[in-house]
């Protein structure tokens, strides 16, 4: 009987990997540092997901129920892996709560951290209560309370969404594109317009990156069907005139300064490496890339592998990623781990 596969992280990638392994008859031990499974979509209260438009609590909640109800999956919540030793087929992980777990292989699905907008203070977050993040708007929508200005509870007449907050910004050490922000912002803009038909929504952008098949359903649909307005601009600062917020910057199409009042300003926050990645790297003996994400080997030669044999990685632990692609990567990592636990000597030699 093979030893179980250890999965560290209970978000979409980890849930996908656990289900795939259990479906193949493989025992799984899942370790999650939070007090419940689901990762960012559940813990951060996401609303409707891209591209399915399913509510996160239903789509990801269904994945959680499927794993929690499987007898082949053992779940440990509210703890982390403190020590990790051994070789493929014969790993030993010690949890912070003192429990020891034997594993044949390990999959890291430790996810990401939302960019903290306090690191972009000139754009008003932390200074003005009506400057919020996309995550906060998602929570307003998913809770059923509706989109309202935090300062006084009124419904906004005019909302600005600022793209690339914590992405593509060398001044604050974020050189990467976070991949999902443009599409998510267009989706949120449409949801605001749907719930508040009289609210004008503007999206400020450097470039629009609704990659793949999302262009028509999000970029064009938000403009043509929902009348969301797009302004190509460089934002200088977000201030207040005492009554409303002012978004100041340069319209880069016509090369002139602009200052437009809004009731609410939304930061489209990017994806940062997991704040625990330095610890994860040290405990599991895996390398990080230059941006601080878990490094994976060439996809063309290896599947979901890290530099340490028997330790695999999937999802946004490796960099900004969509939920759907994280789920697919979790399944791929499950296949690689399954091969490892059933043929540890052969796989480690390749």
């Amino acid at each position: 009987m093979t030893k179980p596969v250890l999965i560290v992280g209970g978000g979409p990638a980890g849930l996908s990997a656990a289900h795939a392994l259990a479906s193949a008859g493989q025992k799984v031990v899942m370790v999650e540092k939070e007090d419940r499974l689901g990762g960012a979509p559940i813990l951060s209260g996401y609303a409707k997901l891209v591209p399915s438009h399913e509510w996160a609590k239903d789509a990801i909640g269904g994945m959680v129920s499927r794993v929690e109800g499987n007898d082949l999956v053992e779940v440990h919540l509210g703890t982390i892996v403190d020590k990790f030793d051994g070789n493929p087929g014969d790993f030993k992980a010690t949890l912070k709560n003192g429990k020891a777990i034997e594993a044949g292989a390990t999959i890291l699905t430790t996810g990401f951290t939302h960019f903290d907008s306090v690191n972009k203070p000139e754009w008003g977050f932390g200074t003005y209560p009506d400057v919020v993040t996309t995550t906060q708007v998602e929570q307003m929508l998913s809770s059923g309370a509706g989109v309202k200005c935090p300062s006084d509870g009124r419904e906004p007449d005019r909302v600005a969404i600022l793209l690339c907050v914590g992405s593509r910004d060398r001044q604050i050490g974020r050189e990467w594109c976070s991949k999902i922000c443009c599409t998510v912002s267009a989706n949120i803009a449409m949801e605001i317009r749907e719930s508040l038909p009289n609210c004008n929504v503007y999206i400020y952008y450097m470039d629009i990156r609704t990659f793949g098949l999302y262009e028509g359903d999000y970029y064009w649909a938000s403009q043509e069907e929902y009348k969301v307005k797009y302004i190509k601009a460089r934002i200088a600062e977000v201030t207040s005139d005492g009554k409303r917020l002012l978004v100041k910057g340069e319209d880069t199409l016509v090369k002139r300064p602009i200052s437009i009042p809004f009731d609410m300003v939304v930061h489209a926050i990017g994806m940062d490496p997991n704040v625990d990645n330095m610890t994860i790297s040290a405990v599991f003996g895996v390398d990080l890339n230059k941006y601080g994400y878990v490094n994976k080997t060439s996809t063309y030669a290896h599947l979901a592998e890290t530099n340490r044999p028997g330790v695999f990685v999937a999802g946004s632990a490796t960099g900004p990623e969509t939920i759907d692609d994280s789920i697919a990567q979790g399944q791929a990592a499950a296949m690689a781990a399954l091969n490892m636990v059933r043929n540890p000597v052969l796989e480690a030699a390749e």
Side-chain angles (χ1 to χ4, degrees):
M1 189 69 179
T2 60
K3 294 179 180 178
V5 173
L6 171 64
I7 297 177
V8 184
L15 294 168
S16 172
H19 179 257
L21 287 164
S23 297
Q26 176 62 44
K27 287 187 176 180
V28 174
V29 176
M30 175 173 280
V31 176
E32 166 57 51
K33 69 177 182 179
E34 303 294 343
D35 61 358
R36 55 182 171 154
L37 299 178
I42 297 298
L43 297 171
S44 296
Y46 287 6
K48 292 182 180 179
L49 300 177
V50 172
S52 69
H53 296 289
E54 293 179 73
W55 288 99
K57 59 182 174 59
D58 297 327
I60 308 303
M63 295 180 71
V64 171
S65 298
R66 189 170 62 181
V67 165
E68 289 180 332
N70 196 308
D71 292 337
L72 290 175
V73 182
E74 176 185 323
V75 178
H76 296 268
L77 299 174
T79 190
I80 61 172
V81 176
D82 225 12
K83 296 179 182 178
F84 184 78
D85 302 295
N87 298 295
D90 188 26
F91 289 117
K92 181 180 179 181
T94 304
L95 303 187
K96 194 171 184 179
N97 60 15
K99 183 177 178 63
I101 294 171
E102 292 187 339
T106 297
I107 304 175
L108 301 178
T109 53
T110 46
F112 70 100
T113 297
H114 290 105
F115 174 76
D116 190 342
S117 281
V118 298
N119 294 310
K120 197 71 177 174
E122 65 271 27
W123 286 9
F125 187 83
T127 301
Y128 308 107
D130 294 329
V131 178
V132 297
T133 67
T134 41
T135 301
Q136 289 174 292
V137 175
E138 295 249 20
Q139 291 166 358
M140 293 178 192
L141 291 165
S142 64
S143 69
V147 177
K148 296 178 182 178
C149 297
S151 64
D152 57 12
R154 74 187 187 283
E155 293 181 344
D157 293 323
R158 192 190 294 253
V159 173
I161 301 176
L162 313 183
L163 298 187
C164 296
V165 183
S167 305
R168 303 178 64 200
D169 190 339
R170 285 189 168 187
Q171 291 182 335
I172 57 173
R174 306 305 197 283
E175 297 183 11
W176 56 87
C177 169
S178 290
K179 192 174 183 177
I180 51 87
C181 316
C182 288
T183 309
V184 166
S185 295
N187 188 47
I188 287 175
M190 290 190 286
E191 288 193 67
I192 293 173
R193 288 280 297 141
E194 196 170 63
S195 61
L196 299 173
N198 295 322
C199 179
N200 294 292
V201 181
Y202 293 71
I203 292 180
Y204 285 77
Y205 69 99
M206 290 192 291
D207 308 289
I208 294 294
R209 295 185 172 186
T210 45
F211 65 98
L213 302 179
Y214 297 155
E215 184 95 354
D217 289 343
Y218 293 92
Y219 177 61
W220 289 114
S222 64
Q223 293 181 78
E224 295 171 349
E225 296 177 34
Y226 290 84
K227 309 306 178 186
V228 175
K229 302 169 181 66
Y230 283 73
I231 300 176
K232 187 174 177 64
R234 292 284 184 177
I235 307 301
E237 61 178 345
V238 176
T239 62
S240 173
D241 62 4
K243 294 182 179 180
R244 302 176 96 182
L245 299 167
L246 294 176
V247 177
K248 298 180 179 181
E250 179 192 15
D251 185 319
T252 55
L253 286 179
V254 298
K255 306 296 183 185
R256 63 178 176 84
I258 52 174
S259 180
I260 302 177
F262 292 95
D263 300 297
M264 179 184 289
V265 172
V266 182
H267 285 196
I269 51 174
M271 301 172 76
D272 270 2
N274 188 326
V275 293
D276 297 325
N277 273 359
M278 290 294 288
T279 301
I280 291 168
S281 172
V283 170
F284 291 94
V286 295
D287 294 338
L288 304 180
N289 63 25
K290 65 179 181 179
Y291 300 115
Y293 292 94
V294 178
N295 198 38
K296 60 180 179 180
T297 54
S298 170
T299 304
Y300 306 111
H302 306 278
L303 192 62
E305 293 183 11
T306 65
N307 60 288
R308 183 170 184 177
V311 179
F312 303 90
V313 65
S316 55
T318 67
E321 199 51 88
T322 68
I323 291 175
D324 283 17
D325 284 352
S326 292
I327 290 170
Q329 289 174 24
Q331 293 175 345
M335 179 184 295
L338 190 62
N339 288 336
M340 176 62 73
V341 296
R342 293 185 177 175
N343 305 284
V345 177
L346 179 62
E347 289 295 319
E350 290 184 356

